[in-house]
Amino acid sequence: MAFNMKALLAMICVFVGCCSNVVFLELIIQIDPGAGNLITFLQFLFIALEGLIFTSKFFTVKPKIALKDYVMLVVLFFGANVCNNYAFNFNISMPLHMIFRSGSLMANMIMGIILLKKRYNLRQYSSVAMITAGIILCTLVSSGDVKDNTHASLKVDTSYSDFFWWSVGIALLTIALLVTAYMGIYQEVIYKRYGKHPNEALFFTHMLPLPGFLIMASNIAQHWSIAINTEPVALAVPGLNWTVSFPLILFYLLCNVVTQYICISAVYVLTTECASLTVTLVVTLRKFVSLLFSIMYFRNPFTISHWLGTVLVFFGTILFANVINQVKDAYKARAQRQLEGSKQKLKTG
């Protein structure tokens, strides 16, 4: 029963943490679309500090995985996160961002074929074709309505069109997708060699890249200045007659960082407590809920073509994971166990 409760709690945290994280991310980029590097830095800093205290215990716990093996993982993880969040600076809408990132299976297959010489069955090739078609459709439809979303204080005249900068954003998302897929393969290699140590990996992949943010220091400082100069929000302290007032974006950033930690931790627990089928279903459903919320609450433009692309992406994911057949098999196995249990009761009775 404890196992089921732990898995159930992880699922709830995935939905609450990950969905609310996307909401706060969208609230931030609506005010300042270029805040991607600031968001990434604060997320890395928060998770690194948490890991320093509770996982590494101020470096008194010896790491199970050699630090030299973390180097490549850290470079890949840092690059993928920076590309994903920085893409918002290039006129990328939140729904397109979410749909594009749902193409991880396509990227995993490409990397599997190139690096591991893997071969897949017709169902898997068909599902990836659906995902690819869905992403291409959504991308093409979105390309017809590109607007400059740069924060007013940072706007500069440029000879390049809004469409050009949007194309740069698409390129960043594509790079992030392929890098993340390669990172997954590299993680498998490390885990086979050392075993799985998710908390340690979470700490080192967020702590070691922190010096890399020095390259983006000026950009982070610019958007920090924008954040602290936004309109203040007043919050009442429960149980006390106090009211705390601080800039709106700082409040959103704090919520985004905390919910990002809840989201990542819950997904790690889910992968250790549940079968891959359950993880795929929960994560896919969570992405779909986030997408619906983004469209309905934030009134993001979403045409019939966008919906068609979205259906292709999500059904392609379900098809790749062979969810329908696995659910049928699980139901048959359960029915068989119940039948055998009934027969056993008849015999003993």
Side-chain angles (χ1 to χ4, degrees):
M1 185 66 183
F3 166 83
N4 289 332
M5 284 305 297
K6 194 173 181 181
L8 179 63
L9 185 62
M11 288 179 198
I12 293 168
C13 286
V14 165
F15 276 95
V16 174
C18 300
C19 288
S20 55
N21 177 255
V22 172
V23 170
F24 288 116
L25 177 61
E26 186 147 12
L27 287 168
I28 295 166
I29 64 168
Q30 280 195 336
I31 302 171
D32 181 15
N37 287 334
L38 174 63
I39 295 166
T40 309
F41 170 67
L42 292 176
Q43 288 175 347
F44 273 56
L45 182 64
F46 181 85
I47 293 173
L49 288 173
E50 187 277 338
L52 178 67
I53 298 167
F54 298 105
T55 302
S56 174
K57 302 189 189 307
F58 297 96
F59 300 109
T60 58
V61 176
K62 187 179 179 182
K64 307 289 190 303
I65 299 172
L67 288 178
K68 63 181 176 64
D69 288 311
Y70 271 123
V71 173
M72 176 61 81
L73 188 61
V74 162
V75 170
L76 295 170
F77 186 71
F78 177 71
N81 275 273
V82 168
C83 285
N84 271 324
N85 283 341
Y86 196 50
F88 289 117
N89 203 35
F90 297 94
N91 311 324
I92 300 294
S93 68
M94 179 61 83
L96 180 60
H97 192 276
M98 283 190 277
I99 292 166
F100 219 94
R101 290 188 69 178
S102 298
S104 55
L105 284 175
M106 172 191 67
N108 287 343
M109 178 177 278
I110 292 169
M111 286 297 173
I113 292 169
I114 295 172
L115 299 177
L116 303 178
K117 310 299 179 188
K118 281 187 176 181
R119 291 293 175 265
Y120 299 88
N121 58 41
L122 182 60
R123 173 182 54 78
Q124 290 170 316
Y125 281 121
S126 301
S127 64
V128 167
M130 287 174 67
I131 294 168
T132 307
I135 291 173
I136 291 172
L137 178 60
C138 288
T139 305
L140 289 174
V141 173
S142 299
S143 68
D145 185 31
V146 178
K147 295 173 185 173
D148 183 12
N149 61 5
T150 310
H151 191 272
S153 67
L154 299 177
K155 280 186 183 290
V156 291
D157 291 328
T158 173
S159 57
Y160 296 106
S161 65
D162 293 342
F163 179 79
F164 170 81
W165 293 117
W166 176 85
S167 301
V168 172
I170 293 296
L172 284 173
L173 289 177
T174 305
I175 292 166
L177 206 58
L178 294 172
V179 168
T180 302
Y182 181 69
M183 184 178 73
I185 292 170
Y186 188 74
Q187 269 181 317
E188 282 183 31
V189 173
I190 289 178
Y191 288 158
K192 279 179 185 176
R193 191 182 304 161
Y194 296 100
K196 287 187 177 182
H197 304 286
N199 290 334
E200 179 185 301
L202 189 65
F203 166 59
F204 281 107
T205 52
H206 285 81
M207 186 274 293
L208 293 176
L210 287 177
F213 286 101
L214 289 171
I215 302 167
M216 310 161 202
S218 61
N219 179 271
I220 292 170
Q222 272 185 331
H223 292 282
W224 177 258
S225 176
I226 291 171
I228 60 175
N229 286 303
T230 50
E231 60 178 295
V233 59
L235 294 174
V237 180
L240 298 169
N241 265 337
W242 293 354
T243 302
V244 180
S245 179
F246 50 92
L248 184 62
I249 286 191
L250 287 191
F251 172 69
Y252 290 155
L253 282 167
L254 176 64
C255 294
N256 177 266
V257 165
V258 172
T259 52
Q260 172 75 0
Y261 172 72
I262 294 169
C263 175
I264 289 178
S265 301
V267 171
Y268 269 118
V269 172
L270 204 62
T271 54
T272 56
E273 295 294 328
C274 301
S276 59
L277 167 66
T278 307
V279 177
T280 302
L281 278 172
V282 170
V283 172
T284 303
L285 187 58
R286 193 283 301 168
K287 287 179 180 177
F288 193 69
V289 169
S290 293
L291 182 63
L292 287 177
F293 193 87
S294 177
I295 296 161
M296 293 175 180
Y297 183 78
F298 291 102
R299 305 291 182 189
N300 281 306
F302 216 73
T303 64
I304 292 172
S305 298
H306 281 106
W307 277 115
L308 179 58
T310 303
V311 168
L312 285 169
V313 169
F314 284 103
F315 272 97
T317 303
I318 298 296
L319 181 63
F320 187 92
N322 202 20
V323 168
I324 296 169
N325 285 338
Q326 288 194 52
V327 169
K328 283 181 181 177
D329 291 342
Y331 180 77
K332 285 178 183 176
R334 184 182 174 188
Q336 185 65 31
R337 285 196 301 270
Q338 287 177 340
L339 183 62
E340 287 173 1
S342 299
K343 286 179 179 178
Q344 193 67 32
K345 283 181 181 177
L346 287 170
K347 282 181 183 179
T348 54

